[in-house]
Amino acid sequence: MGDRRLAIEAWESLFRAQHEVFGKLSGDFIGTDLSQAEYDVLLTVTRAPDMTARLRDVTANMLISQPSVSRLVDRMVGRGLVTKCSDPDDGRGALVTATEEGAHAFRVIGAAHGRSIAEHMSCFDDEELRTLLTLTEKLRGYRSGE
């Protein structure tokens, strides 16, 4: 590794930028039909084939603990946003499927949230965005040993 102090400064700046932007973007969910956590569940589920994802894949994409994700998904089942059933390929696992109501709520909020993200990221040109994407993917790959 190069300069340790520079590494720490870069990390702190990345962390603070993420925290500040995340705080601003969380306002996109005020007064909507979905919480930010519910939106994150639906983001994973609606991107999966047949709008169905394994609960462990939903959990892997969330920033909260597995028991919290399970409780969140159960609440979403109660609200009619998703269904949950046993995974036929993994007796211990579960499959989560977006309902039409959940997919619709995701699309409505997703459109506005996408515009908000694009607005916040508009301080970068396309080359800078590609560089940022490359750097963050590299950082995430380092953690997983890729």
Side-chain angles (χ1 to χ4, degrees):
M1 179 204 289
D3 184 339
R4 184 171 181 235
R5 175 175 279 164
L6 179 60
I8 292 168
E9 285 180 36
W11 167 252
E12 288 176 355
S13 182
L14 175 64
F15 179 79
R16 292 181 194 293
Q18 182 273 340
H19 182 74
E20 288 175 23
V21 172
F22 190 79
K24 291 175 185 175
L25 292 176
S26 66
D28 294 349
F29 299 91
I30 296 171
T32 68
D33 292 334
L34 296 177
S35 69
Q36 192 161 8
E38 290 170 333
Y39 177 88
D40 286 345
V41 168
L42 287 169
L43 177 67
T44 299
V45 173
T46 59
R47 287 183 172 176
D50 299 322
M51 294 195 308
T52 300
R54 289 185 170 90
L55 182 57
R56 70 173 175 253
D57 295 333
V58 173
T59 301
N61 288 326
M62 301 287 293
L63 299 176
I64 57 178
S65 68
Q66 186 274 330
S68 296
V69 174
S70 293
R71 287 190 299 273
L72 173 63
V73 167
D74 289 343
R75 287 192 303 272
M76 292 174 72
V77 168
R79 292 187 52 213
L81 299 170
V82 296
T83 61
K84 182 174 134 181
C85 65
S86 296
D87 183 345
D89 298 329
D90 177 1
R92 296 172 296 160
L95 297 176
V96 180
T97 303
T99 63
E100 285 301 317
E101 181 182 346
H104 175 73
F106 172 80
R107 286 190 302 271
V108 169
I109 295 169
H113 188 52
R115 285 189 298 274
S116 183
I117 291 169
E119 180 182 319
H120 280 83
M121 299 299 281
S122 67
C123 61
F124 300 113
D125 62 32
D126 287 350
E127 183 177 337
E128 290 171 322
L129 287 170
R130 280 189 282 280
T131 299
L132 180 60
L133 180 60
T134 299
L135 292 172
T136 54
E137 286 176 343
K138 183 177 182 178
L139 184 60
R140 293 177 73 205
Y142 176 80
R143 191 190 104 225
S144 64
E146 293 175 6

